[in-house]
Amino acid sequence: MSFDLSVWALADGATPEDVRAAVQQCRNGRHHERQPDPRCVGFYRALIASYPDQPPGPNTPWAVAPLHKAADHIELNLDPACPDQVLLDIERLAGEHRLMLFDAQDGSVYPPPGVRLPG
């Protein structure tokens, strides 16, 4: 079993409900045909510089590799035994690239630091 997160490049002002709706579209196999969002590209490049997903090695944090990449998101299926530092790095990089973080275990959505979700 894996610990699943995803990062999302949605429009400014996106709500947790918008993120959950986008997650559901992905799960249903519906992806928008467009150029990859530069925020996702930057996040992915920074992440795999520390934690390569191809080829997956014996010390990889990934339960599934390569990572699922789409124009507006990246899905991260982590090995439950991965070091806490991996999660901290994912959270930091998501913030640096202004991506919303979705926790598939409980449906929580975390905005980038400094962004207030509509309440």
Side-chain angles (χ1 to χ4, degrees), residues 57-91:
N59 296 323
T60 184
W62 312 120
V64 176
L67 302 179
H68 167 80
K69 300 174 295 293
D72 60 352
H73 70 280
I74 299 170
E75 188 174 309
L76 313 163
N77 306 105
L78 293 133
D79 185 300
C82 78
D84 289 343
Q85 186 60 50
V86 176
L87 297 172
L88 294 171
D89 289 341
I90 290 169
E91 184 177 281

PDB file of all heavy atoms in Angstrom, residues 57-91:
ATOM      1  N   GLY A  57      15.299   3.089  -8.047  1.00  0.00           N
ATOM      2  CA  GLY A  57      16.384   2.331  -7.413  1.00  0.00           C
ATOM      3  C   GLY A  57      15.928   1.683  -6.124  1.00  0.00           C
ATOM      4  O   GLY A  57      14.778   1.823  -5.715  1.00  0.00           O
ATOM      5  N   PRO A  58      16.830   0.986  -5.457  1.00  0.00           N
ATOM      6  CA  PRO A  58      16.466   0.280  -4.230  1.00  0.00           C
ATOM      7  C   PRO A  58      16.119   1.217  -3.079  1.00  0.00           C
ATOM      8  O   PRO A  58      15.396   0.836  -2.171  1.00  0.00           O
ATOM      9  CB  PRO A  58      17.705  -0.555  -3.915  1.00  0.00           C
ATOM     10  CG  PRO A  58      18.825   0.133  -4.630  1.00  0.00           C
ATOM     11  CD  PRO A  58      18.213   0.774  -5.846  1.00  0.00           C
ATOM     12  N   ASN A  59      16.604   2.446  -3.100  1.00  0.00           N
ATOM     13  CA  ASN A  59      16.322   3.384  -2.014  1.00  0.00           C
ATOM     14  C   ASN A  59      15.317   4.456  -2.412  1.00  0.00           C
ATOM     15  O   ASN A  59      15.255   5.511  -1.804  1.00  0.00           O
ATOM     16  CB  ASN A  59      17.631   4.040  -1.545  1.00  0.00           C
ATOM     17  CG  ASN A  59      18.570   3.019  -0.951  1.00  0.00           C
ATOM     18  OD1 ASN A  59      18.141   2.093  -0.278  1.00  0.00           O
ATOM     19  ND2 ASN A  59      19.854   3.176  -1.211  1.00  0.00           N
ATOM     20  N   THR A  60      14.557   4.189  -3.436  1.00  0.00           N
ATOM     21  CA  THR A  60      13.594   5.178  -3.912  1.00  0.00           C
ATOM     22  C   THR A  60      12.443   5.346  -2.910  1.00  0.00           C
ATOM     23  O   THR A  60      12.039   4.375  -2.264  1.00  0.00           O
ATOM     24  CB  THR A  60      13.032   4.767  -5.292  1.00  0.00           C
ATOM     25  OG1 THR A  60      12.170   5.810  -5.760  1.00  0.00           O
ATOM     26  CG2 THR A  60      12.224   3.482  -5.213  1.00  0.00           C
ATOM     27  N   PRO A  61      11.910   6.564  -2.800  1.00  0.00           N
ATOM     28  CA  PRO A  61      10.742   6.750  -1.933  1.00  0.00           C
ATOM     29  C   PRO A  61       9.433   6.388  -2.632  1.00  0.00           C
ATOM     30  O   PRO A  61       8.380   6.396  -2.013  1.00  0.00           O
ATOM     31  CB  PRO A  61      10.784   8.244  -1.611  1.00  0.00           C
ATOM     32  CG  PRO A  61      11.405   8.863  -2.821  1.00  0.00           C
ATOM     33  CD  PRO A  61      12.414   7.845  -3.302  1.00  0.00           C
ATOM     34  N   TRP A  62       9.507   6.053  -3.922  1.00  0.00           N
ATOM     35  CA  TRP A  62       8.294   5.869  -4.729  1.00  0.00           C
ATOM     36  C   TRP A  62       7.776   4.436  -4.677  1.00  0.00           C
ATOM     37  O   TRP A  62       8.507   3.497  -4.919  1.00  0.00           O
ATOM     38  CB  TRP A  62       8.559   6.272  -6.178  1.00  0.00           C
ATOM     39  CG  TRP A  62       9.234   7.601  -6.285  1.00  0.00           C
ATOM     40  CD1 TRP A  62      10.444   7.849  -6.849  1.00  0.00           C
ATOM     41  CD2 TRP A  62       8.759   8.848  -5.798  1.00  0.00           C
ATOM     42  NE1 TRP A  62      10.752   9.175  -6.738  1.00  0.00           N
ATOM     43  CE2 TRP A  62       9.734   9.822  -6.094  1.00  0.00           C
ATOM     44  CE3 TRP A  62       7.610   9.248  -5.124  1.00  0.00           C
ATOM     45  CZ2 TRP A  62       9.594  11.155  -5.746  1.00  0.00           C
ATOM     46  CZ3 TRP A  62       7.463  10.580  -4.775  1.00  0.00           C
ATOM     47  CH2 TRP A  62       8.436  11.512  -5.090  1.00  0.00           C
ATOM     48  N   ALA A  63       6.485   4.300  -4.421  1.00  0.00           N
ATOM     49  CA  ALA A  63       5.822   3.004  -4.501  1.00  0.00           C
ATOM     50  C   ALA A  63       5.453   2.708  -5.950  1.00  0.00           C
ATOM     51  O   ALA A  63       5.334   1.552  -6.346  1.00  0.00           O
ATOM     52  CB  ALA A  63       4.578   2.978  -3.618  1.00  0.00           C
ATOM     53  N   VAL A  64       5.257   3.769  -6.738  1.00  0.00           N
ATOM     54  CA  VAL A  64       4.933   3.653  -8.162  1.00  0.00           C
ATOM     55  C   VAL A  64       5.844   4.616  -8.922  1.00  0.00           C
ATOM     56  O   VAL A  64       5.922   5.800  -8.580  1.00  0.00           O
ATOM     57  CB  VAL A  64       3.454   4.011  -8.434  1.00  0.00           C
ATOM     58  CG1 VAL A  64       3.160   3.991  -9.919  1.00  0.00           C
ATOM     59  CG2 VAL A  64       2.514   3.085  -7.679  1.00  0.00           C
ATOM     60  N   ALA A  65       6.525   4.107  -9.915  1.00  0.00           N
ATOM     61  CA  ALA A  65       7.399   4.949 -10.729  1.00  0.00           C
ATOM     62  C   ALA A  65       7.337   4.455 -12.165  1.00  0.00           C
ATOM     63  O   ALA A  65       7.160   3.267 -12.390  1.00  0.00           O
ATOM     64  CB  ALA A  65       8.825   4.904 -10.195  1.00  0.00           C
ATOM     65  N   PRO A  66       7.436   5.341 -13.152  1.00  0.00           N
ATOM     66  CA  PRO A  66       7.640   6.771 -12.967  1.00  0.00           C
ATOM     67  C   PRO A  66       6.374   7.450 -12.426  1.00  0.00           C
ATOM     68  O   PRO A  66       5.281   6.876 -12.450  1.00  0.00           O
ATOM     69  CB  PRO A  66       7.974   7.271 -14.362  1.00  0.00           C
ATOM     70  CG  PRO A  66       7.329   6.282 -15.294  1.00  0.00           C
ATOM     71  CD  PRO A  66       7.374   4.960 -14.560  1.00  0.00           C
ATOM     72  N   LEU A  67       6.554   8.674 -11.945  1.00  0.00           N
ATOM     73  CA  LEU A  67       5.433   9.435 -11.400  1.00  0.00           C
ATOM     74  C   LEU A  67       4.426   9.751 -12.508  1.00  0.00           C
ATOM     75  O   LEU A  67       4.797   9.927 -13.667  1.00  0.00           O
ATOM     76  CB  LEU A  67       5.945  10.745 -10.794  1.00  0.00           C
ATOM     77  CG  LEU A  67       6.997  10.606  -9.692  1.00  0.00           C
ATOM     78  CD1 LEU A  67       7.434  11.982  -9.198  1.00  0.00           C
ATOM     79  CD2 LEU A  67       6.490   9.756  -8.550  1.00  0.00           C
ATOM     80  N   HIS A  68       3.157   9.814 -12.128  1.00  0.00           N
ATOM     81  CA  HIS A  68       2.097  10.200 -13.067  1.00  0.00           C
ATOM     82  C   HIS A  68       2.149  11.714 -13.225  1.00  0.00           C
ATOM     83  O   HIS A  68       2.025  12.448 -12.262  1.00  0.00           O
ATOM     84  CB  HIS A  68       0.729   9.767 -12.519  1.00  0.00           C
ATOM     85  CG  HIS A  68      -0.425  10.377 -13.239  1.00  0.00           C
ATOM     86  ND1 HIS A  68      -0.874   9.899 -14.448  1.00  0.00           N
ATOM     87  CD2 HIS A  68      -1.218  11.435 -12.932  1.00  0.00           C
ATOM     88  CE1 HIS A  68      -1.908  10.637 -14.851  1.00  0.00           C
ATOM     89  NE2 HIS A  68      -2.130  11.568 -13.944  1.00  0.00           N
ATOM     90  N   LYS A  69       2.364  12.159 -14.479  1.00  0.00           N
ATOM     91  CA  LYS A  69       2.446  13.583 -14.773  1.00  0.00           C
ATOM     92  C   LYS A  69       1.359  13.946 -15.777  1.00  0.00           C
ATOM     93  O   LYS A  69       1.161  13.254 -16.764  1.00  0.00           O
ATOM     94  CB  LYS A  69       3.817  13.940 -15.336  1.00  0.00           C
ATOM     95  CG  LYS A  69       4.964  13.616 -14.396  1.00  0.00           C
ATOM     96  CD  LYS A  69       6.314  13.835 -15.038  1.00  0.00           C
ATOM     97  CE  LYS A  69       6.644  12.962 -16.186  1.00  0.00           C
ATOM     98  NZ  LYS A  69       6.841  11.549 -15.969  1.00  0.00           N
ATOM     99  N   ALA A  70       0.682  15.054 -15.500  1.00  0.00           N
ATOM    100  CA  ALA A  70      -0.296  15.613 -16.434  1.00  0.00           C
ATOM    101  C   ALA A  70      -0.018  17.109 -16.540  1.00  0.00           C
ATOM    102  O   ALA A  70       0.852  17.639 -15.839  1.00  0.00           O
ATOM    103  CB  ALA A  70      -1.716  15.348 -15.941  1.00  0.00           C
ATOM    104  N   ALA A  71      -0.738  17.791 -17.389  1.00  0.00           N
ATOM    105  CA  ALA A  71      -0.482  19.214 -17.605  1.00  0.00           C
ATOM    106  C   ALA A  71      -0.650  20.043 -16.337  1.00  0.00           C
ATOM    107  O   ALA A  71       0.083  21.002 -16.115  1.00  0.00           O
ATOM    108  CB  ALA A  71      -1.410  19.747 -18.697  1.00  0.00           C
ATOM    109  N   ASP A  72      -1.607  19.652 -15.490  1.00  0.00           N
ATOM    110  CA  ASP A  72      -1.911  20.481 -14.320  1.00  0.00           C
ATOM    111  C   ASP A  72      -1.623  19.815 -12.983  1.00  0.00           C
ATOM    112  O   ASP A  72      -1.929  20.379 -11.928  1.00  0.00           O
ATOM    113  CB  ASP A  72      -3.373  20.916 -14.356  1.00  0.00           C
ATOM    114  CG  ASP A  72      -4.351  19.748 -14.336  1.00  0.00           C
ATOM    115  OD1 ASP A  72      -3.909  18.577 -14.441  1.00  0.00           O
ATOM    116  OD2 ASP A  72      -5.560  20.006 -14.223  1.00  0.00           O
ATOM    117  N   HIS A  73      -1.032  18.623 -12.991  1.00  0.00           N
ATOM    118  CA  HIS A  73      -0.760  17.960 -11.714  1.00  0.00           C
ATOM    119  C   HIS A  73       0.281  16.854 -11.852  1.00  0.00           C
ATOM    120  O   HIS A  73       0.582  16.411 -12.954  1.00  0.00           O
ATOM    121  CB  HIS A  73      -2.042  17.389 -11.104  1.00  0.00           C
ATOM    122  CG  HIS A  73      -2.595  16.214 -11.858  1.00  0.00           C
ATOM    123  ND1 HIS A  73      -3.335  16.347 -13.009  1.00  0.00           N
ATOM    124  CD2 HIS A  73      -2.505  14.880 -11.616  1.00  0.00           C
ATOM    125  CE1 HIS A  73      -3.687  15.149 -13.437  1.00  0.00           C
ATOM    126  NE2 HIS A  73      -3.183  14.231 -12.617  1.00  0.00           N
ATOM    127  N   ILE A  74       0.772  16.451 -10.695  1.00  0.00           N
ATOM    128  CA  ILE A  74       1.688  15.320 -10.599  1.00  0.00           C
ATOM    129  C   ILE A  74       1.228  14.482  -9.415  1.00  0.00           C
ATOM    130  O   ILE A  74       0.978  15.010  -8.329  1.00  0.00           O
ATOM    131  CB  ILE A  74       3.147  15.774 -10.401  1.00  0.00           C
ATOM    132  CG1 ILE A  74       3.576  16.620 -11.591  1.00  0.00           C
ATOM    133  CG2 ILE A  74       4.074  14.578 -10.199  1.00  0.00           C
ATOM    134  CD1 ILE A  74       4.896  17.314 -11.417  1.00  0.00           C
ATOM    135  N   GLU A  75       1.098  13.179  -9.642  1.00  0.00           N
ATOM    136  CA  GLU A  75       0.678  12.256  -8.592  1.00  0.00           C
ATOM    137  C   GLU A  75       1.912  11.582  -8.010  1.00  0.00           C
ATOM    138  O   GLU A  75       2.781  11.117  -8.742  1.00  0.00           O
ATOM    139  CB  GLU A  75      -0.266  11.216  -9.175  1.00  0.00           C
ATOM    140  CG  GLU A  75      -0.898  10.331  -8.143  1.00  0.00           C
ATOM    141  CD  GLU A  75      -1.930   9.418  -8.761  1.00  0.00           C
ATOM    142  OE1 GLU A  75      -2.811   9.910  -9.487  1.00  0.00           O
ATOM    143  OE2 GLU A  75      -1.838   8.202  -8.519  1.00  0.00           O
ATOM    144  N   LEU A  76       1.962  11.530  -6.687  1.00  0.00           N
ATOM    145  CA  LEU A  76       3.103  10.982  -5.970  1.00  0.00           C
ATOM    146  C   LEU A  76       2.629   9.820  -5.105  1.00  0.00           C
ATOM    147  O   LEU A  76       1.898  10.021  -4.141  1.00  0.00           O
ATOM    148  CB  LEU A  76       3.734  12.065  -5.087  1.00  0.00           C
ATOM    149  CG  LEU A  76       3.960  13.417  -5.765  1.00  0.00           C
ATOM    150  CD1 LEU A  76       4.191  14.499  -4.742  1.00  0.00           C
ATOM    151  CD2 LEU A  76       5.095  13.318  -6.745  1.00  0.00           C
ATOM    152  N   ASN A  77       3.002   8.620  -5.469  1.00  0.00           N
ATOM    153  CA  ASN A  77       2.666   7.423  -4.688  1.00  0.00           C
ATOM    154  C   ASN A  77       3.923   7.027  -3.930  1.00  0.00           C
ATOM    155  O   ASN A  77       4.859   6.492  -4.514  1.00  0.00           O
ATOM    156  CB  ASN A  77       2.195   6.294  -5.595  1.00  0.00           C
ATOM    157  CG  ASN A  77       1.058   6.723  -6.491  1.00  0.00           C
ATOM    158  OD1 ASN A  77       1.251   6.933  -7.675  1.00  0.00           O
ATOM    159  ND2 ASN A  77      -0.111   6.872  -5.931  1.00  0.00           N
ATOM    160  N   LEU A  78       3.920   7.308  -2.635  1.00  0.00           N
ATOM    161  CA  LEU A  78       5.110   7.108  -1.808  1.00  0.00           C
ATOM    162  C   LEU A  78       5.063   5.786  -1.065  1.00  0.00           C
ATOM    163  O   LEU A  78       4.002   5.347  -0.610  1.00  0.00           O
ATOM    164  CB  LEU A  78       5.220   8.242  -0.789  1.00  0.00           C
ATOM    165  CG  LEU A  78       5.509   9.590  -1.432  1.00  0.00           C
ATOM    166  CD1 LEU A  78       4.602  10.656  -0.889  1.00  0.00           C
ATOM    167  CD2 LEU A  78       6.956   9.942  -1.219  1.00  0.00           C
ATOM    168  N   ASP A  79       6.230   5.194  -0.928  1.00  0.00           N
ATOM    169  CA  ASP A  79       6.370   4.016  -0.084  1.00  0.00           C
ATOM    170  C   ASP A  79       6.104   4.463   1.351  1.00  0.00           C
ATOM    171  O   ASP A  79       6.638   5.474   1.794  1.00  0.00           O
ATOM    172  CB  ASP A  79       7.798   3.473  -0.209  1.00  0.00           C
ATOM    173  CG  ASP A  79       7.989   2.194   0.544  1.00  0.00           C
ATOM    174  OD1 ASP A  79       7.790   2.194   1.777  1.00  0.00           O
ATOM    175  OD2 ASP A  79       8.371   1.195  -0.088  1.00  0.00           O
ATOM    176  N   PRO A  80       5.258   3.769   2.099  1.00  0.00           N
ATOM    177  CA  PRO A  80       4.933   4.207   3.457  1.00  0.00           C
ATOM    178  C   PRO A  80       6.152   4.279   4.380  1.00  0.00           C
ATOM    179  O   PRO A  80       6.125   4.976   5.381  1.00  0.00           O
ATOM    180  CB  PRO A  80       3.932   3.175   3.973  1.00  0.00           C
ATOM    181  CG  PRO A  80       3.603   2.295   2.841  1.00  0.00           C
ATOM    182  CD  PRO A  80       4.526   2.581   1.703  1.00  0.00           C
ATOM    183  N   ALA A  81       7.232   3.593   4.029  1.00  0.00           N
ATOM    184  CA  ALA A  81       8.436   3.608   4.857  1.00  0.00           C
ATOM    185  C   ALA A  81       9.425   4.698   4.431  1.00  0.00           C
ATOM    186  O   ALA A  81      10.531   4.754   4.964  1.00  0.00           O
ATOM    187  CB  ALA A  81       9.114   2.243   4.805  1.00  0.00           C
ATOM    188  N   CYS A  82       9.029   5.570   3.508  1.00  0.00           N
ATOM    189  CA  CYS A  82       9.969   6.596   3.057  1.00  0.00           C
ATOM    190  C   CYS A  82      10.274   7.552   4.203  1.00  0.00           C
ATOM    191  O   CYS A  82       9.435   7.772   5.086  1.00  0.00           O
ATOM    192  CB  CYS A  82       9.446   7.338   1.827  1.00  0.00           C
ATOM    193  SG  CYS A  82       8.207   8.586   2.144  1.00  0.00           S
ATOM    194  N   PRO A  83      11.460   8.123   4.203  1.00  0.00           N
ATOM    195  CA  PRO A  83      11.835   9.049   5.271  1.00  0.00           C
ATOM    196  C   PRO A  83      10.927  10.280   5.312  1.00  0.00           C
ATOM    197  O   PRO A  83      10.447  10.750   4.273  1.00  0.00           O
ATOM    198  CB  PRO A  83      13.265   9.449   4.915  1.00  0.00           C
ATOM    199  CG  PRO A  83      13.756   8.400   3.963  1.00  0.00           C
ATOM    200  CD  PRO A  83      12.536   7.889   3.252  1.00  0.00           C
ATOM    201  N   ASP A  84      10.724  10.814   6.509  1.00  0.00           N
ATOM    202  CA  ASP A  84       9.917  12.025   6.665  1.00  0.00           C
ATOM    203  C   ASP A  84      10.457  13.185   5.848  1.00  0.00           C
ATOM    204  O   ASP A  84       9.698  14.047   5.411  1.00  0.00           O
ATOM    205  CB  ASP A  84       9.843  12.440   8.139  1.00  0.00           C
ATOM    206  CG  ASP A  84       8.996  11.496   8.973  1.00  0.00           C
ATOM    207  OD1 ASP A  84       8.204  10.714   8.393  1.00  0.00           O
ATOM    208  OD2 ASP A  84       9.118  11.539  10.217  1.00  0.00           O
ATOM    209  N   GLN A  85      11.775  13.196   5.627  1.00  0.00           N
ATOM    210  CA  GLN A  85      12.376  14.289   4.864  1.00  0.00           C
ATOM    211  C   GLN A  85      11.794  14.372   3.465  1.00  0.00           C
ATOM    212  O   GLN A  85      11.663  15.466   2.904  1.00  0.00           O
ATOM    213  CB  GLN A  85      13.903  14.126   4.796  1.00  0.00           C
ATOM    214  CG  GLN A  85      14.600  15.305   4.154  1.00  0.00           C
ATOM    215  CD  GLN A  85      14.351  16.608   4.907  1.00  0.00           C
ATOM    216  OE1 GLN A  85      14.521  16.656   6.126  1.00  0.00           O
ATOM    217  NE2 GLN A  85      13.949  17.651   4.200  1.00  0.00           N
ATOM    218  N   VAL A  86      11.423  13.248   2.876  1.00  0.00           N
ATOM    219  CA  VAL A  86      10.823  13.259   1.539  1.00  0.00           C
ATOM    220  C   VAL A  86       9.525  14.061   1.570  1.00  0.00           C
ATOM    221  O   VAL A  86       9.280  14.912   0.711  1.00  0.00           O
ATOM    222  CB  VAL A  86      10.581  11.825   1.023  1.00  0.00           C
ATOM    223  CG1 VAL A  86       9.870  11.850  -0.330  1.00  0.00           C
ATOM    224  CG2 VAL A  86      11.885  11.046   0.937  1.00  0.00           C
ATOM    225  N   LEU A  87       8.693  13.822   2.575  1.00  0.00           N
ATOM    226  CA  LEU A  87       7.429  14.552   2.692  1.00  0.00           C
ATOM    227  C   LEU A  87       7.683  16.038   2.918  1.00  0.00           C
ATOM    228  O   LEU A  87       6.986  16.888   2.352  1.00  0.00           O
ATOM    229  CB  LEU A  87       6.588  13.976   3.831  1.00  0.00           C
ATOM    230  CG  LEU A  87       6.156  12.532   3.654  1.00  0.00           C
ATOM    231  CD1 LEU A  87       5.494  12.010   4.917  1.00  0.00           C
ATOM    232  CD2 LEU A  87       5.231  12.387   2.469  1.00  0.00           C
ATOM    233  N   LEU A  88       8.662  16.360   3.739  1.00  0.00           N
ATOM    234  CA  LEU A  88       9.004  17.766   3.984  1.00  0.00           C
ATOM    235  C   LEU A  88       9.481  18.434   2.700  1.00  0.00           C
ATOM    236  O   LEU A  88       9.125  19.586   2.412  1.00  0.00           O
ATOM    237  CB  LEU A  88      10.059  17.871   5.078  1.00  0.00           C
ATOM    238  CG  LEU A  88       9.620  17.433   6.471  1.00  0.00           C
ATOM    239  CD1 LEU A  88      10.820  17.381   7.424  1.00  0.00           C
ATOM    240  CD2 LEU A  88       8.535  18.346   7.007  1.00  0.00           C
ATOM    241  N   ASP A  89      10.272  17.718   1.911  1.00  0.00           N
ATOM    242  CA  ASP A  89      10.756  18.269   0.644  1.00  0.00           C
ATOM    243  C   ASP A  89       9.607  18.473  -0.345  1.00  0.00           C
ATOM    244  O   ASP A  89       9.559  19.487  -1.053  1.00  0.00           O
ATOM    245  CB  ASP A  89      11.831  17.376   0.038  1.00  0.00           C
ATOM    246  CG  ASP A  89      13.147  17.438   0.808  1.00  0.00           C
ATOM    247  OD1 ASP A  89      13.366  18.406   1.579  1.00  0.00           O
ATOM    248  OD2 ASP A  89      13.962  16.507   0.641  1.00  0.00           O
ATOM    249  N   ILE A  90       8.681  17.533  -0.400  1.00  0.00           N
ATOM    250  CA  ILE A  90       7.515  17.675  -1.283  1.00  0.00           C
ATOM    251  C   ILE A  90       6.707  18.903  -0.887  1.00  0.00           C
ATOM    252  O   ILE A  90       6.331  19.717  -1.735  1.00  0.00           O
ATOM    253  CB  ILE A  90       6.644  16.400  -1.256  1.00  0.00           C
ATOM    254  CG1 ILE A  90       7.375  15.258  -1.960  1.00  0.00           C
ATOM    255  CG2 ILE A  90       5.275  16.657  -1.888  1.00  0.00           C
ATOM    256  CD1 ILE A  90       6.731  13.898  -1.762  1.00  0.00           C
ATOM    257  N   GLU A  91       6.453  19.058   0.392  1.00  0.00           N
ATOM    258  CA  GLU A  91       5.689  20.205   0.880  1.00  0.00           C
ATOM    259  C   GLU A  91       6.415  21.518   0.565  1.00  0.00           C
ATOM    260  O   GLU A  91       5.808  22.471   0.087  1.00  0.00           O
ATOM    261  CB  GLU A  91       5.480  20.068   2.383  1.00  0.00           C
ATOM    262  CG  GLU A  91       4.622  21.150   2.976  1.00  0.00           C
ATOM    263  CD  GLU A  91       4.404  20.917   4.456  1.00  0.00           C
ATOM    264  OE1 GLU A  91       3.551  20.074   4.789  1.00  0.00           O
ATOM    265  OE2 GLU A  91       5.099  21.557   5.268  1.00  0.00           O
TER     266      GLU A  91
END
